[in-house]
């Protein structure tokens, strides 16, 4: 499954290792030499793995990246097969690199970050169909390597590393290692029939291993009428060898209820790390709306507790899927294409719809909770593969990206949703307006408070006209407009807007309605920002026990209220008490949200500040000095939070008599 992490200064996103690569050691050596140099490179070095579909280009690239990951500070794999999903992948990388610098060009900011990295980096651009994608994704400068996989051949000759089919002797030896006989002649005929294509040979070897059939008998299956028809159905020469092997395996699996259905379902998702145990957990039924025939086939996977297990075993035995790892499986995109190409258009659309409904059903309810973030991360590439940008299920994904600290990716995903919903649903459809609301909110969180304010100011009168001034769709936009009015510099106006909004929420939703509590929270904050720290402290002190009772002591909203109570306690004159409150809060923030989440860094910032205010200026200086490079990496060098940290470092450096 995809490994995606930022730890110890390293950023990694890679697909699963393919296992042992038969006959590919020479390619590995050629790549190592190609990416070697006598000194630091001033521009990225590019190598392009070209060859037929199924020849193993991705396997070679991913295995190389895994083997050589120790040599790089960043390793990132882009799946370029779906151009619509590229912005999301760029946004994920931006978040892990800390490129959250406002509404500008996110990709340009990523390029600048890569160009300035001291450590080498490696980008794997998988399944490139348009050379322009390489020009778009790769920075013009920097000490990095780029590994492209593609079927195209029109590349500069110095870049190209051809990936051939296997040598015939290697293919025969591989088949014989899995067969239950030693029929060299038949093995050679099978290898020839499959075009020496590694993917098709792997399926043939798995078939021989699982069934115990003679190699000559498998050759007869490849010559059957069904296989010949399938090879005619599958478009293009790239998949025909795979189609023959696929046909033999699928024919053998007919006795396993659900195996073919599972293969069809898996073929609808992104090829790597499909979290099938999340999508089809024990005891959960199918979502409503799935076409009756498809639902009947899927019933074999959900109606019997062992149905999914048996189907996974069958597909694994015939090498149609990769090994199950952590509840997730991978399927080669050629196997996916072959599987879907054998279906007529209505049936294919029915399976794609079922896959989308299963993803939507699996999305957790509350993306604000850190415990849901690993689930969203596992589903993200499959959401991009199955849910169109206008789909209602994408807004929780936008919120997950934002709540987990990746504001740039959230803003870009919201921008795509606004565009798609405007085209499909119209500019004033409630779903379009909801997407515009999210775009404005996360534009502000990404660092541009003025732009967020302006977007919300334009959106509010539309909501008031379409839904009414006190509708529960309209009030969140009033709330966010008040917030970003304050963040843009007008603190008194923000306070007054929240003061006017609170009684409306209390009347419409109730005194302990979640949005009422959030409005009380913001009224307290902007009361303090407008100059009344003691009043802000008292308002937060009254609000905290309500949050603890309603949300729990470690919910992010509760922790945010604790943070504000500590802050305004200090601002009201009790620096030592503020210091102690922040010292108690910080380890909880680190455990709940992570040590580099923006909210955790803000708590670190406040703890350092109040340590200084309580009398230890040198300690405050040292804490801010340690925090600043993390802020620059996580939030960007010109994000308002980073500038605040720089300001505090200068202040406490001066206070420490330097």
């Amino acid at each position: 499954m995809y490994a995606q992490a930022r730890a110890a200064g390293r950023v990694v996103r890679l697909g699963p290792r393919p296992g042992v690569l038969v006959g590919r050691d020479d390619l590995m050596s050629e790549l190592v030499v190609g990416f070697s140099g006598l000194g630091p490179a001033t521009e990225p070095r590019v190598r392009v793995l070209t060859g037929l579909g199924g020849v193993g280009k991705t396997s070679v690239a991913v295995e190389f990246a895994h083997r050589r990951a120790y040599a790089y500070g960043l390793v990132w794999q882009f799946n370029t097969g779906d151009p619509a999903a590229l912005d999301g992948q760029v946004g994920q990388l931006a978040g892990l690199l800390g490129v959250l610098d406002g509404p500008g060009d996110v990709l340009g900011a990523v390029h600048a970050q890569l160009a300035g990295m001291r450590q080498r980096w490696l980008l794997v651009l998988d399944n490139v169909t348009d050379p322009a994608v390489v020009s778009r994704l790769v920075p013009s400068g920097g000490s990095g390597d780029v590994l492209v996989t593609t079927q195209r051949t029109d590349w500069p000759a110095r870049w190209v590393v051809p990936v051939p089919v296997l040598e015939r002797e290697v293919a025969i030896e591989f088949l014989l290692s899995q067969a239950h006989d030693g029929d060299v002649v038949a093995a050679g005929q099978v290898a020839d029939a499959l075009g020496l294509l590694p993917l098709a040979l792997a399926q043939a070897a798995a078939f021989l291993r699982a069934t115990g059939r003679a190699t000559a008998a498998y050759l007869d299956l490849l010559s059957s009428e069904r296989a010949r028809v399938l090879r005619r159905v599958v478009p293009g020469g790239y998949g025909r060898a795979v189609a023959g092997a696929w046909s033999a395996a699928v024919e053998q699996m007919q006795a396993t209820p659900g195996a073919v259905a599972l293969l069809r379902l898996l073929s609808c998702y992104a090829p790597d790390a499909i979290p099938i145990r999340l999508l089809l957990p024990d005891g959960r039924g199918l979502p409503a709306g799935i076409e009756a025939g498809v639902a009947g086939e899927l019933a074999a996977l959900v109606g019997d507790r062992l149905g999914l297990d048996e189907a996974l075993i069958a597909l694994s035995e015939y090498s149609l899927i990769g090994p199950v790892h952590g509840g997730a499986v991978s399927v080669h995109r050629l196997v996916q294409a072959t599987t879907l190409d054998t279906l007529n258009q209505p049936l294919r659309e029915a399976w794609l719809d079922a896959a989308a409904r299963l993803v939507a059903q699996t999305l957790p309810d509350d993306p604000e909770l850190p415990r849901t973030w690993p689930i969203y991360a596992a589903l993200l590439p499959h959401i991009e593969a199955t849910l169109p940008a206008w789909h209602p299920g994408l807004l929780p994904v936008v919120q997950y990206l934002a709540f987990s600290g990746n504001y740039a990716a959230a803003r870009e995903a919201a921008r795509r949703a606004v565009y798609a919903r405007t085209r499909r649903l119209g500019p004033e459809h409630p779903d379009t307006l909801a997407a515009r609301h999210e775009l404005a909110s996360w534009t502000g969180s990404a660092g541009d408070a003025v732009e967020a304010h302006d977007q919300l100011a334009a959106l509010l009168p539309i909501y008031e006209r379409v839904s009414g001034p006190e509708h529960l769709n309209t009030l969140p936009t009033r709330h966010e407009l008040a917030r970003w009015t304050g963040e843009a510099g007008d603190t008194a106006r923000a306070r007054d807007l929240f003061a006017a909004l609170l009684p409306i929420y209390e009347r419409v939703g109730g005194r302990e309605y979640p949005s009422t509590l959030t409005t009380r929270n913001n009224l307290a904050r902007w009361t303090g920002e407008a100059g009344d720290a003691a009043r802000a402290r008292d308002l937060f002190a009254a609000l905290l026990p309500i949050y603890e009772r309603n949300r729990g002591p470690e919910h992010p909203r509760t922790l945010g209220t604790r943070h504000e109570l500590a802050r305004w306690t200090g601002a009201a004159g009790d620096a030592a008490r503020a210091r102690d409150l922040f010292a108690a809060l910080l380890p909880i923030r680190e455990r709940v949200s992570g040590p580099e989440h923006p909210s955790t860094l803000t708590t670190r910032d406040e703890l350092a500040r109040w340590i200084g205010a309580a009398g230890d200026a040198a300690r405050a200086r040292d804490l801010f000095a340690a925090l600043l490079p993390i802020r620059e990496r996580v939030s960007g060098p010109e994000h308002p939070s980073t500038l605040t940290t720089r300001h505090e470092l200068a202040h406490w450096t001066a206070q420490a008599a330097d």
Side-chain angles (χ1 to χ4, degrees), residues 463-485:
Y463 255 130
E464 291 177 328
R465 175 167 47 79
V466 170
S467 300
E470 295 191 0
H471 193 278
L472 287 177
N473 287 342
T474 305
L475 296 182
T477 298
R478 283 190 61 178
H479 179 281
E480 286 298 294
L481 178 58
R483 175 191 175 193
W484 293 108
T485 296

PDB file of all heavy atoms in Angstrom, residues 463-485:
ATOM      1  N   TYR A 463     -26.451  33.396  -0.291  1.00  0.00           N
ATOM      2  CA  TYR A 463     -27.065  32.471   0.661  1.00  0.00           C
ATOM      3  C   TYR A 463     -28.339  33.077   1.256  1.00  0.00           C
ATOM      4  O   TYR A 463     -29.366  32.404   1.391  1.00  0.00           O
ATOM      5  CB  TYR A 463     -26.083  32.142   1.788  1.00  0.00           C
ATOM      6  CG  TYR A 463     -25.464  30.767   1.691  1.00  0.00           C
ATOM      7  CD1 TYR A 463     -24.083  30.589   1.784  1.00  0.00           C
ATOM      8  CD2 TYR A 463     -26.261  29.641   1.539  1.00  0.00           C
ATOM      9  CE1 TYR A 463     -23.511  29.327   1.716  1.00  0.00           C
ATOM     10  CE2 TYR A 463     -25.697  28.375   1.462  1.00  0.00           C
ATOM     11  CZ  TYR A 463     -24.327  28.219   1.553  1.00  0.00           C
ATOM     12  OH  TYR A 463     -23.783  26.965   1.480  1.00  0.00           O
ATOM     13  N   GLU A 464     -28.269  34.351   1.624  1.00  0.00           N
ATOM     14  CA  GLU A 464     -29.442  34.978   2.239  1.00  0.00           C
ATOM     15  C   GLU A 464     -30.625  35.011   1.274  1.00  0.00           C
ATOM     16  O   GLU A 464     -31.780  34.819   1.684  1.00  0.00           O
ATOM     17  CB  GLU A 464     -29.078  36.390   2.696  1.00  0.00           C
ATOM     18  CG  GLU A 464     -28.110  36.403   3.880  1.00  0.00           C
ATOM     19  CD  GLU A 464     -27.690  37.800   4.286  1.00  0.00           C
ATOM     20  OE1 GLU A 464     -27.614  38.674   3.386  1.00  0.00           O
ATOM     21  OE2 GLU A 464     -27.427  38.015   5.475  1.00  0.00           O
ATOM     22  N   ARG A 465     -30.326  35.217  -0.014  1.00  0.00           N
ATOM     23  CA  ARG A 465     -31.401  35.252  -1.000  1.00  0.00           C
ATOM     24  C   ARG A 465     -31.929  33.854  -1.313  1.00  0.00           C
ATOM     25  O   ARG A 465     -33.139  33.647  -1.444  1.00  0.00           O
ATOM     26  CB  ARG A 465     -30.891  35.937  -2.281  1.00  0.00           C
ATOM     27  CG  ARG A 465     -31.884  35.923  -3.420  1.00  0.00           C
ATOM     28  CD  ARG A 465     -31.464  36.884  -4.530  1.00  0.00           C
ATOM     29  NE  ARG A 465     -30.063  36.752  -4.886  1.00  0.00           N
ATOM     30  CZ  ARG A 465     -29.580  35.790  -5.671  1.00  0.00           C
ATOM     31  NH1 ARG A 465     -30.391  34.868  -6.160  1.00  0.00           N
ATOM     32  NH2 ARG A 465     -28.298  35.752  -5.971  1.00  0.00           N
ATOM     33  N   VAL A 466     -31.021  32.871  -1.411  1.00  0.00           N
ATOM     34  CA  VAL A 466     -31.423  31.520  -1.811  1.00  0.00           C
ATOM     35  C   VAL A 466     -32.061  30.755  -0.658  1.00  0.00           C
ATOM     36  O   VAL A 466     -33.085  30.079  -0.838  1.00  0.00           O
ATOM     37  CB  VAL A 466     -30.211  30.745  -2.364  1.00  0.00           C
ATOM     38  CG1 VAL A 466     -30.545  29.272  -2.567  1.00  0.00           C
ATOM     39  CG2 VAL A 466     -29.732  31.369  -3.671  1.00  0.00           C
ATOM     40  N   SER A 467     -31.464  30.849   0.547  1.00  0.00           N
ATOM     41  CA  SER A 467     -31.920  30.026   1.667  1.00  0.00           C
ATOM     42  C   SER A 467     -32.639  30.812   2.755  1.00  0.00           C
ATOM     43  O   SER A 467     -33.351  30.216   3.564  1.00  0.00           O
ATOM     44  CB  SER A 467     -30.721  29.293   2.288  1.00  0.00           C
ATOM     45  OG  SER A 467     -30.097  28.456   1.347  1.00  0.00           O
ATOM     46  N   GLY A 468     -32.428  32.125   2.811  1.00  0.00           N
ATOM     47  CA  GLY A 468     -33.005  32.923   3.882  1.00  0.00           C
ATOM     48  C   GLY A 468     -31.939  33.353   4.870  1.00  0.00           C
ATOM     49  O   GLY A 468     -30.945  32.656   5.070  1.00  0.00           O
ATOM     50  N   PRO A 469     -32.122  34.498   5.539  1.00  0.00           N
ATOM     51  CA  PRO A 469     -31.059  35.065   6.381  1.00  0.00           C
ATOM     52  C   PRO A 469     -30.756  34.258   7.637  1.00  0.00           C
ATOM     53  O   PRO A 469     -29.662  34.389   8.192  1.00  0.00           O
ATOM     54  CB  PRO A 469     -31.581  36.462   6.730  1.00  0.00           C
ATOM     55  CG  PRO A 469     -33.056  36.364   6.555  1.00  0.00           C
ATOM     56  CD  PRO A 469     -33.289  35.391   5.450  1.00  0.00           C
ATOM     57  N   GLU A 470     -31.696  33.428   8.112  1.00  0.00           N
ATOM     58  CA  GLU A 470     -31.452  32.672   9.341  1.00  0.00           C
ATOM     59  C   GLU A 470     -31.479  31.169   9.108  1.00  0.00           C
ATOM     60  O   GLU A 470     -31.613  30.381  10.044  1.00  0.00           O
ATOM     61  CB  GLU A 470     -32.469  33.067  10.415  1.00  0.00           C
ATOM     62  CG  GLU A 470     -32.320  34.511  10.860  1.00  0.00           C
ATOM     63  CD  GLU A 470     -33.126  34.845  12.100  1.00  0.00           C
ATOM     64  OE1 GLU A 470     -33.815  33.945  12.628  1.00  0.00           O
ATOM     65  OE2 GLU A 470     -33.058  36.005  12.547  1.00  0.00           O
ATOM     66  N   HIS A 471     -31.317  30.757   7.876  1.00  0.00           N
ATOM     67  CA  HIS A 471     -31.284  29.333   7.566  1.00  0.00           C
ATOM     68  C   HIS A 471     -29.960  28.740   8.059  1.00  0.00           C
ATOM     69  O   HIS A 471     -28.928  29.420   8.081  1.00  0.00           O
ATOM     70  CB  HIS A 471     -31.434  29.126   6.058  1.00  0.00           C
ATOM     71  CG  HIS A 471     -31.723  27.715   5.665  1.00  0.00           C
ATOM     72  ND1 HIS A 471     -30.751  26.750   5.539  1.00  0.00           N
ATOM     73  CD2 HIS A 471     -32.898  27.099   5.360  1.00  0.00           C
ATOM     74  CE1 HIS A 471     -31.295  25.601   5.187  1.00  0.00           C
ATOM     75  NE2 HIS A 471     -32.599  25.782   5.064  1.00  0.00           N
ATOM     76  N   LEU A 472     -29.984  27.461   8.439  1.00  0.00           N
ATOM     77  CA  LEU A 472     -28.763  26.823   8.943  1.00  0.00           C
ATOM     78  C   LEU A 472     -27.709  26.642   7.853  1.00  0.00           C
ATOM     79  O   LEU A 472     -26.564  26.302   8.167  1.00  0.00           O
ATOM     80  CB  LEU A 472     -29.105  25.469   9.574  1.00  0.00           C
ATOM     81  CG  LEU A 472     -29.809  25.542  10.934  1.00  0.00           C
ATOM     82  CD1 LEU A 472     -30.173  24.155  11.426  1.00  0.00           C
ATOM     83  CD2 LEU A 472     -28.929  26.263  11.955  1.00  0.00           C
ATOM     84  N   ASN A 473     -28.070  26.866   6.575  1.00  0.00           N
ATOM     85  CA  ASN A 473     -27.053  26.920   5.524  1.00  0.00           C
ATOM     86  C   ASN A 473     -26.392  28.289   5.455  1.00  0.00           C
ATOM     87  O   ASN A 473     -25.229  28.411   5.058  1.00  0.00           O
ATOM     88  CB  ASN A 473     -27.676  26.603   4.158  1.00  0.00           C
ATOM     89  CG  ASN A 473     -28.022  25.144   4.007  1.00  0.00           C
ATOM     90  OD1 ASN A 473     -27.524  24.295   4.739  1.00  0.00           O
ATOM     91  ND2 ASN A 473     -28.893  24.836   3.059  1.00  0.00           N
ATOM     92  N   THR A 474     -27.125  29.335   5.816  1.00  0.00           N
ATOM     93  CA  THR A 474     -26.629  30.711   5.716  1.00  0.00           C
ATOM     94  C   THR A 474     -25.751  31.080   6.906  1.00  0.00           C
ATOM     95  O   THR A 474     -24.722  31.753   6.756  1.00  0.00           O
ATOM     96  CB  THR A 474     -27.807  31.689   5.630  1.00  0.00           C
ATOM     97  OG1 THR A 474     -28.650  31.313   4.534  1.00  0.00           O
ATOM     98  CG2 THR A 474     -27.339  33.115   5.437  1.00  0.00           C
ATOM     99  N   LEU A 475     -26.137  30.650   8.099  1.00  0.00           N
ATOM    100  CA  LEU A 475     -25.458  31.098   9.318  1.00  0.00           C
ATOM    101  C   LEU A 475     -23.973  30.710   9.361  1.00  0.00           C
ATOM    102  O   LEU A 475     -23.163  31.514   9.841  1.00  0.00           O
ATOM    103  CB  LEU A 475     -26.193  30.559  10.545  1.00  0.00           C
ATOM    104  CG  LEU A 475     -27.633  31.080  10.722  1.00  0.00           C
ATOM    105  CD1 LEU A 475     -28.248  30.509  11.990  1.00  0.00           C
ATOM    106  CD2 LEU A 475     -27.658  32.608  10.754  1.00  0.00           C
ATOM    107  N   PRO A 476     -23.561  29.517   8.884  1.00  0.00           N
ATOM    108  CA  PRO A 476     -22.115  29.245   8.886  1.00  0.00           C
ATOM    109  C   PRO A 476     -21.306  30.237   8.068  1.00  0.00           C
ATOM    110  O   PRO A 476     -20.167  30.566   8.428  1.00  0.00           O
ATOM    111  CB  PRO A 476     -22.027  27.825   8.300  1.00  0.00           C
ATOM    112  CG  PRO A 476     -23.334  27.198   8.633  1.00  0.00           C
ATOM    113  CD  PRO A 476     -24.328  28.318   8.501  1.00  0.00           C
ATOM    114  N   THR A 477     -21.886  30.737   6.974  1.00  0.00           N
ATOM    115  CA  THR A 477     -21.160  31.722   6.174  1.00  0.00           C
ATOM    116  C   THR A 477     -21.086  33.056   6.919  1.00  0.00           C
ATOM    117  O   THR A 477     -20.055  33.754   6.861  1.00  0.00           O
ATOM    118  CB  THR A 477     -21.825  31.878   4.796  1.00  0.00           C
ATOM    119  OG1 THR A 477     -21.754  30.621   4.115  1.00  0.00           O
ATOM    120  CG2 THR A 477     -21.130  32.937   3.963  1.00  0.00           C
ATOM    121  N   ARG A 478     -22.141  33.442   7.637  1.00  0.00           N
ATOM    122  CA  ARG A 478     -22.054  34.635   8.493  1.00  0.00           C
ATOM    123  C   ARG A 478     -20.961  34.452   9.544  1.00  0.00           C
ATOM    124  O   ARG A 478     -20.201  35.387   9.843  1.00  0.00           O
ATOM    125  CB  ARG A 478     -23.396  34.882   9.204  1.00  0.00           C
ATOM    126  CG  ARG A 478     -24.471  35.494   8.345  1.00  0.00           C
ATOM    127  CD  ARG A 478     -25.677  35.927   9.160  1.00  0.00           C
ATOM    128  NE  ARG A 478     -25.368  36.942  10.160  1.00  0.00           N
ATOM    129  CZ  ARG A 478     -26.271  37.505  10.962  1.00  0.00           C
ATOM    130  NH1 ARG A 478     -27.550  37.136  10.864  1.00  0.00           N
ATOM    131  NH2 ARG A 478     -25.925  38.430  11.839  1.00  0.00           N
ATOM    132  N   HIS A 479     -20.908  33.243  10.103  1.00  0.00           N
ATOM    133  CA  HIS A 479     -19.897  32.953  11.119  1.00  0.00           C
ATOM    134  C   HIS A 479     -18.484  33.110  10.559  1.00  0.00           C
ATOM    135  O   HIS A 479     -17.620  33.772  11.158  1.00  0.00           O
ATOM    136  CB  HIS A 479     -20.116  31.529  11.642  1.00  0.00           C
ATOM    137  CG  HIS A 479     -19.136  31.088  12.677  1.00  0.00           C
ATOM    138  ND1 HIS A 479     -17.863  30.669  12.365  1.00  0.00           N
ATOM    139  CD2 HIS A 479     -19.241  31.003  14.037  1.00  0.00           C
ATOM    140  CE1 HIS A 479     -17.228  30.343  13.477  1.00  0.00           C
ATOM    141  NE2 HIS A 479     -18.046  30.543  14.501  1.00  0.00           N
ATOM    142  N   GLU A 480     -18.241  32.481   9.397  1.00  0.00           N
ATOM    143  CA  GLU A 480     -16.904  32.548   8.816  1.00  0.00           C
ATOM    144  C   GLU A 480     -16.549  33.959   8.362  1.00  0.00           C
ATOM    145  O   GLU A 480     -15.398  34.385   8.461  1.00  0.00           O
ATOM    146  CB  GLU A 480     -16.801  31.566   7.647  1.00  0.00           C
ATOM    147  CG  GLU A 480     -16.717  30.112   8.061  1.00  0.00           C
ATOM    148  CD  GLU A 480     -15.478  29.816   8.888  1.00  0.00           C
ATOM    149  OE1 GLU A 480     -14.359  29.915   8.351  1.00  0.00           O
ATOM    150  OE2 GLU A 480     -15.631  29.508  10.089  1.00  0.00           O
ATOM    151  N   LEU A 481     -17.530  34.714   7.878  1.00  0.00           N
ATOM    152  CA  LEU A 481     -17.254  36.098   7.498  1.00  0.00           C
ATOM    153  C   LEU A 481     -16.821  36.901   8.717  1.00  0.00           C
ATOM    154  O   LEU A 481     -15.874  37.713   8.634  1.00  0.00           O
ATOM    155  CB  LEU A 481     -18.492  36.719   6.862  1.00  0.00           C
ATOM    156  CG  LEU A 481     -18.370  38.192   6.462  1.00  0.00           C
ATOM    157  CD1 LEU A 481     -17.216  38.409   5.487  1.00  0.00           C
ATOM    158  CD2 LEU A 481     -19.680  38.703   5.868  1.00  0.00           C
ATOM    159  N   ALA A 482     -17.481  36.680   9.850  1.00  0.00           N
ATOM    160  CA  ALA A 482     -17.072  37.368  11.076  1.00  0.00           C
ATOM    161  C   ALA A 482     -15.652  36.985  11.460  1.00  0.00           C
ATOM    162  O   ALA A 482     -14.828  37.836  11.824  1.00  0.00           O
ATOM    163  CB  ALA A 482     -18.043  37.025  12.202  1.00  0.00           C
ATOM    164  N   ARG A 483     -15.353  35.695  11.374  1.00  0.00           N
ATOM    165  CA  ARG A 483     -14.010  35.230  11.749  1.00  0.00           C
ATOM    166  C   ARG A 483     -12.932  35.882  10.892  1.00  0.00           C
ATOM    167  O   ARG A 483     -11.943  36.403  11.397  1.00  0.00           O
ATOM    168  CB  ARG A 483     -13.940  33.708  11.611  1.00  0.00           C
ATOM    169  CG  ARG A 483     -12.552  33.140  11.868  1.00  0.00           C
ATOM    170  CD  ARG A 483     -12.465  31.685  11.458  1.00  0.00           C
ATOM    171  NE  ARG A 483     -11.111  31.186  11.591  1.00  0.00           N
ATOM    172  CZ  ARG A 483     -10.679  30.037  11.088  1.00  0.00           C
ATOM    173  NH1 ARG A 483     -11.521  29.259  10.410  1.00  0.00           N
ATOM    174  NH2 ARG A 483      -9.427  29.656  11.255  1.00  0.00           N
ATOM    175  N   TRP A 484     -13.124  35.846   9.565  1.00  0.00           N
ATOM    176  CA  TRP A 484     -12.071  36.355   8.693  1.00  0.00           C
ATOM    177  C   TRP A 484     -12.069  37.873   8.623  1.00  0.00           C
ATOM    178  O   TRP A 484     -11.067  38.471   8.221  1.00  0.00           O
ATOM    179  CB  TRP A 484     -12.176  35.705   7.322  1.00  0.00           C
ATOM    180  CG  TRP A 484     -11.864  34.233   7.441  1.00  0.00           C
ATOM    181  CD1 TRP A 484     -12.736  33.196   7.356  1.00  0.00           C
ATOM    182  CD2 TRP A 484     -10.588  33.668   7.756  1.00  0.00           C
ATOM    183  NE1 TRP A 484     -12.089  32.008   7.589  1.00  0.00           N
ATOM    184  CE2 TRP A 484     -10.771  32.267   7.831  1.00  0.00           C
ATOM    185  CE3 TRP A 484      -9.309  34.197   7.983  1.00  0.00           C
ATOM    186  CZ2 TRP A 484      -9.727  31.393   8.122  1.00  0.00           C
ATOM    187  CZ3 TRP A 484      -8.270  33.331   8.277  1.00  0.00           C
ATOM    188  CH2 TRP A 484      -8.472  31.950   8.341  1.00  0.00           C
ATOM    189  N   THR A 485     -13.135  38.498   9.063  1.00  0.00           N
ATOM    190  CA  THR A 485     -13.091  39.945   9.286  1.00  0.00           C
ATOM    191  C   THR A 485     -12.082  40.263  10.379  1.00  0.00           C
ATOM    192  O   THR A 485     -11.268  41.199  10.251  1.00  0.00           O
ATOM    193  CB  THR A 485     -14.485  40.465   9.679  1.00  0.00           C
ATOM    194  OG1 THR A 485     -15.393  40.268   8.592  1.00  0.00           O
ATOM    195  CG2 THR A 485     -14.436  41.942  10.035  1.00  0.00           C
TER     196      THR A 485
END
